[in-house]
């Protein structure tokens, strides 16, 4: 394959901090990034993105050391320091001429809602052959990722890591090395584009099951052209050193993946970019949109060890991918351990409430503690949200069967015709529905109810979302909220099927206690497994229109989503860039 730099005619660069600690000489930096997006499908690496990064001419007294190699990171890996501003110019050259937008997953866009990225929520799609500039402020250190937020391009590889470092951050004394060579970007993968698979699945001839798994875009996968296999990813370590590993899940089918490293006990220090009190574990389960940082202590004999990634949910439990942890001076060969392992981990991190994986010790999110206090207001604005694969009657003669439809409170989310952030006053008000009112509709279990479902809260109010998934075999829904992180204040099992009114009545009777802690775990994506509930709280201090959705691509596309509106138009005054792009319906005069 040609070097992407040759395709673009530009020198590939990627900005990295000036040292392993994330220092940028104490000065704030503006970094300019150019994405030229082409639809070039590469076997088992997804979509190729040509990336060029160059320092802005406005930066002062900063020594930026580019990492230059024969090819740029694939996918592009954005590395900046806390306090930096990075500017991303996205030029849409997709050869199918469709629109595109980008989201910066986990970055809360505090007071910059126009930069969030979901199509028709905060912006119009970027048309073919045009450029849109995102200006992102790296407010908080952590592990994030960027991805397309329109259609299903994310599943085809249009995604990559973002790492924000800081000098002497939390848990800095737990590791010796923190660099881009130890980022683990995982996802499931299909041998067809997701637009094709989506149509086939909807009309009864396809399955929402991956063909194999990828680690940093690599997967041995099936044999092709005789006996050729894609090489596995290799992570190099030096004996006795401690490495900060950053795991990012770009899963899209609902495949829950378990990650472990042979012969090594790992130490979790961050999840979804937020520090936790360190906890040792042997394996972790990662869901779509989640990120975990852990410490790998290279304290074993010099050699090669498997990093194992295997599917544990129903749609991918036969799949596995491997990478190699290679100690310095070890031979360049595969580990001697078998590729398939039946070993049960002693300590399993992030198991769902109803887990198909057994382990002597299960460490769930609710068991973890943060080192950041959460001072919630006493007056809580509470919403009960049913998550499920529902079975309403859909009037569509092309469907071969009555499909299960992912919904929130039996409502299918309908995208508005214009972006809500900037043009909500142009939307026919009959398209909107209030989440509390919609939860009382009684006919939506039989017919498919559709609307642009909204939760409206006042600025600085404490909001509680009570997610529950009462279906006995409904899978796990990773619910991601834009614009905020939230605290997990309750979770547990359910023993039946309930309506929002049922859950509210039980809650009023004290059935679901809240976590009594000032330092509950902090996340932006949680997976609500079948037959369970999850309670989250956040302070609505960031005005805007924020997307809340299942992070499984098909579920979000079909309508398992809603919007949280925080504040009023007055609260947004001055936060929308001047001349921000607008889009509209059009009909010729007289029609």
């Amino acid at each position: 394959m040609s070097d992407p730099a040759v395709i673009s005619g530009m020198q590939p660069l990627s900005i990295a901090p000036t040292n392993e600690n994330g220092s940028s000489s104490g000065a704030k930096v503006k970094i300019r990034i150019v994405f030229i997006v082409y639809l070039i499908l590469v076997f088992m690496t997804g979509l190729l993105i040509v990336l060029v990064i160059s320092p802005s001419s406005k930066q002062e007294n900063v020594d930026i050391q580019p990492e230059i190699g024969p090819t740029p990171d694939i996918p592009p890996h954005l590395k900046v320091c806390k306090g930096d501003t990075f500017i991303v110019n996205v030029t849409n050259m997709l050869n199918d001429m469709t629109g595109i937008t980008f989201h910066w997953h986990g970055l809360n866009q505090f007071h910059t809602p126009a930069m969030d990225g979901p199509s028709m929520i905060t912006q119009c799609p970027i048309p073919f052959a045009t450029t849109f500039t995102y200006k992102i402020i790296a407010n908080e250190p952590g592990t994030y990722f960027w991805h397309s937020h329109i259609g299903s391009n994310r599943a085809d590889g249009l995604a990559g890591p973002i790492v924000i470092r800081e000098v002497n951050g939390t848990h800095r004394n737990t590791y010796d090395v923190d660099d881009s060579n130890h980022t683990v970007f995982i996802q499931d993968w299909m041998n067809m584009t997701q637009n094709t698979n989506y149509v086939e699945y909807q009309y009864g001839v396809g399955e929402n099951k991956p063909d194999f798994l990828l680690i940093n875009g690599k997967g041995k996968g099936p044999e092709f052209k005789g006996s050729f296999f894609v090489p596995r990813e290799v992570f190099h370590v030096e004996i006795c050193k401690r490495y900060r590993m950053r795991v990012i899940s770009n899963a899209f089918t609902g495949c829950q993946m378990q990650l472990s490293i042979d012969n090594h006990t790992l130490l979790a220090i961050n999840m979804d970019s937020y520090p936790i009190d360190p906890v040792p574990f042997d394996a972790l389960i990662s869901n779509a949109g989640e990120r975990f940082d852990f410490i790998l202590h290279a304290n074993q004999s010099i050699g090669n060890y498997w990093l194992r990634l295997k599917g544990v949910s129903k749609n991918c439990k036969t799949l596995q991918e491997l990478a190699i942890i290679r100690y310095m001076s070890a031979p360049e060969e595969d580990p001697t351990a078998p590729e398939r392992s039946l070993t049960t981990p002693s300590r399993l991190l992030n198991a769902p409430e109803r887990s198909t994986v057994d382990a002597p010790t299960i460490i769930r999110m609710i068991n973890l503690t943060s080192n950041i206090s959460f001072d919630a207001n006493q007056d809580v604005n509470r919403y009960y949200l049913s998550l499920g694969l529902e079975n309403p009657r859909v009037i569509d003669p092309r469907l071969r069967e009555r499909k299960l439809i992912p919904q929130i409170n039996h409502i299918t989310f309908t995208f508005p015709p214009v972006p809500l952030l900037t043009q909500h006053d142009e939307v026919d008000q009959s398209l909107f529905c209030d989440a509390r009112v919609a939860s009382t509709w009684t006919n939506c279990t039989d017919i498919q109810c559709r609307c642009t479902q909204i939760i409206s809260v006042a600025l600085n109010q404490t909001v509680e979302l009570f997610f529950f998934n009462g279906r006995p075999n409904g899978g796990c829904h990773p619910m991601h909220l834009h614009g905020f992180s939230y605290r997990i204040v309750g979770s547990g099992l359910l023993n039946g099927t309930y309506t929002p009114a049922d859950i509210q009545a039980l809650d009023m009777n004290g059935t679901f206690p809240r976590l009594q802690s000032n330092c509950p775990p902090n996340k932006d994506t949680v997976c609500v497994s079948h037959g369970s509930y999850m309670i989250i709280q956040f302070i609505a201090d960031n005005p805007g229109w924020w997307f809340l959705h299942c992070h499984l691509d098909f579920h979000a596309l079909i309508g398992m989503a809603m919007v949280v509106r925080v504040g009023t138009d007055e609260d947004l005054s001055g936060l929308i860039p001047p001349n921000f792009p607008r889009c509209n319906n059009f009909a010729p005069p007289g029609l």
Side-chain angles (χ1 to χ4, degrees):
M1 189 186 78
S2 299
D3 188 322
V6 175
I7 297 173
S8 68
M10 302 178 184
Q11 177 65 33
L13 302 176
S14 60
I15 294 300
T18 58
N19 59 47
E20 289 179 354
N21 298 333
S23 171
S24 61
S25 304
K28 293 185 178 180
V29 183
K30 281 191 176 180
I31 298 170
R32 187 170 298 277
I33 303 166
V34 181
F35 279 4
I36 306 175
V37 186
Y38 292 92
L39 189 64
I40 303 175
L41 192 61
V42 182
F43 183 75
M44 287 186 283
T45 60
L47 298 180
L48 177 65
I49 304 171
V50 179
L51 171 64
V52 179
I53 303 181
S54 61
S56 166
S57 60
K58 294 183 179 180
Q59 67 178 351
E60 297 179 357
N61 302 320
V62 178
D63 179 21
I64 292 184
Q65 300 175 354
E67 296 178 358
I68 305 177
T71 58
D73 296 324
I74 300 176
H77 188 158
L78 307 187
K79 294 151 281 188
V80 298
C81 299
K82 180 180 178 180
D84 289 352
T85 294
F86 57 103
I87 298 169
V88 183
N89 297 325
V90 177
T91 298
N92 180 2
M93 296 302 293
L94 292 170
N95 61 9
D96 61 359
M97 299 187 180
T98 56
I100 194 75
T101 66
F102 280 86
H103 173 57
W104 319 93
H105 186 105
L107 292 170
N108 291 339
Q109 303 294 349
F110 188 73
H111 286 181
T112 56
M115 299 293 106
D116 192 45
S119 176
M120 305 314 265
I121 307 299
T122 63
Q123 71 172 93
C124 305
I126 305 168
F128 174 72
T130 68
T131 298
F132 182 95
T133 298
Y134 293 94
K135 182 179 179 181
I136 314 295
I137 301 172
N139 288 320
E140 296 296 333
T143 304
Y144 307 89
F145 70 114
W146 60 267
H147 61 77
S148 167
H149 213 297
I150 189 170
S152 54
N153 288 329
R154 176 178 74 87
D156 292 329
L158 204 50
I162 302 174
V163 173
I164 301 174
R165 295 185 174 91
E166 69 173 337
V167 181
N168 298 323
T170 306
H171 302 317
R172 180 62 187 88
N173 63 339
T174 63
Y175 56 89
D176 305 303
V177 179
D178 176 21
D179 61 25
S180 58
N181 296 321
H182 297 90
T183 298
V184 188
F185 195 79
I186 61 176
Q187 76 168 82
D188 39 9
W189 185 258
M190 288 186 178
N191 286 324
M192 65 173 70
T193 63
Q194 284 312 290
N195 284 341
T196 299
N197 188 54
Y198 176 78
V199 173
E200 291 188 359
Y201 175 74
Q202 281 296 94
Y203 293 98
V205 295
E207 292 185 300
N208 191 22
K209 295 182 179 180
D211 293 304
F212 46 96
L213 308 180
L214 299 178
I215 301 174
N216 287 351
K218 298 177 182 178
K220 186 175 181 180
E223 181 181 6
F224 69 99
K225 290 188 177 180
S227 59
F228 182 78
F229 294 91
V230 171
R232 288 181 165 129
E233 182 70 309
V234 178
F235 299 96
H236 294 277
V237 298
E238 186 176 342
I239 194 165
C240 293
K241 286 194 174 181
R242 301 166 301 170
Y243 292 81
R244 181 170 183 162
M245 310 286 288
R246 298 172 183 265
V247 178
I248 302 167
S249 176
N250 188 41
F252 63 93
T253 68
C255 178
Q256 295 175 297
M257 292 178 274
Q258 177 181 301
L259 185 145
S260 62
I261 299 176
D262 285 2
N263 296 20
H264 291 77
T265 296
L266 310 173
L267 184 72
I269 60 170
N270 269 50
M271 59 180 185
D272 287 5
S273 304
Y274 299 97
I276 57 174
D277 291 332
V279 57
F281 69 95
D282 302 297
L284 70 83
I285 291 179
S286 186
N287 302 284
E290 290 186 315
R291 292 93 63 210
F292 287 91
D293 293 18
F294 63 81
I295 306 305
L296 167 63
H297 190 187
N299 58 1
Q300 298 299 303
S301 300
I302 291 176
N304 295 292
Y305 300 86
W306 290 124
L307 183 153
R308 300 181 184 275
L309 184 69
K310 64 178 183 180
V312 294
S313 49
K314 183 178 179 181
N315 72 329
C316 63
K317 61 184 178 181
T318 63
L319 299 182
Q320 174 184 270
E321 190 46 64
L322 300 168
I324 299 171
I325 302 295
R326 177 165 294 154
Y327 280 62
M328 296 295 186
S329 302
E332 295 187 7
E333 61 187 22
D334 283 355
T336 57
E339 293 193 4
R340 289 281 177 179
S341 173
L342 300 178
T343 303
T344 299
S346 297
R347 291 162 296 189
L348 180 63
L349 177 64
N350 196 33
E353 290 292 338
R354 291 195 184 274
S355 176
T356 58
V357 182
D358 293 323
T361 301
I362 299 292
I363 307 167
R364 294 193 169 88
M365 294 295 97
I366 197 69
N367 305 131
L368 302 177
T369 54
S370 168
N371 60 5
I372 304 173
S373 63
F374 178 63
D375 298 321
N377 301 324
Q378 295 300 313
D379 183 19
V380 176
N381 195 346
R382 185 171 287 120
Y383 289 82
Y384 298 90
L385 304 177
S386 170
L387 311 175
L389 300 176
E390 311 301 346
N391 195 22
R393 184 173 66 254
V394 179
I395 308 302
D396 188 341
R398 297 168 296 177
L399 292 177
R400 299 186 179 189
E401 59 189 50
R402 190 161 166 170
K403 302 289 289 188
L404 292 174
I405 297 176
Q407 296 178 313
I408 299 179
N409 284 353
H410 295 276
I411 302 295
T412 295
F413 182 80
T414 299
F415 279 90
V418 295
L420 295 176
L421 179 67
T422 54
Q423 298 176 245
H424 62 90
D425 55 341
E426 301 174 22
V427 179
D428 185 338
Q429 295 301 298
S430 66
L431 292 179
F432 292 120
C433 63
D434 177 84
R436 283 206 179 99
V437 174
S439 69
T440 65
W441 294 350
T442 58
N443 62 338
C444 297
T445 57
D446 183 51
I447 62 171
Q448 187 179 17
C449 295
R450 297 174 175 269
C451 66
T452 305
Q453 191 171 191
I454 304 288
I455 289 176
S456 296
V457 299
L459 190 63
N460 295 318
Q461 195 168 40
T462 298
V463 180
E464 181 179 281
L465 303 181
F466 191 122
F467 297 119
F468 64 99
N469 180 357
R471 293 189 64 88
N473 297 299
C476 196
H477 299 291
M479 300 304 295
H480 174 56
L481 175 62
H482 294 219
F484 300 92
S485 63
Y486 44 69
R487 300 306 179 99
I488 302 172
V489 297
S491 68
L493 296 176
L494 298 173
N495 58 5
T497 302
Y498 303 92
T499 66
D502 295 333
I503 292 292
Q504 183 174 2
L506 290 170
D507 194 24
M508 295 300 102
N509 289 330
T511 304
F512 308 109
R514 304 309 192 260
L515 184 66
Q516 299 301 309
S517 170
N518 291 327
C519 300
N522 201 26
K523 287 183 108 286
D524 56 55
T525 307
V526 292
C527 208
V528 187
S529 59
H530 61 277
S532 75
Y533 68 90
M534 187 80 70
I535 309 171
I536 66 168
Q537 289 184 356
F538 63 95
I539 298 175
D541 57 358
N542 193 13
W545 297 71
W546 304 106
F547 207 27
L548 169 64
H549 62 96
C550 179
H551 216 267
L552 307 183
D553 270 24
F554 281 14
H555 290 189
L557 286 170
I558 295 170
M560 194 174 213
M562 63 196 319
V563 172
V564 178
R565 183 187 185 185
V566 176
T568 63
D569 288 344
E570 289 73 21
D571 295 321
L572 284 168
S573 178
L575 302 185
I576 310 299
N579 302 317
F580 196 73
R582 299 171 69 87
C583 44
N584 296 284
N585 293 323
F586 173 75
L591 293 182

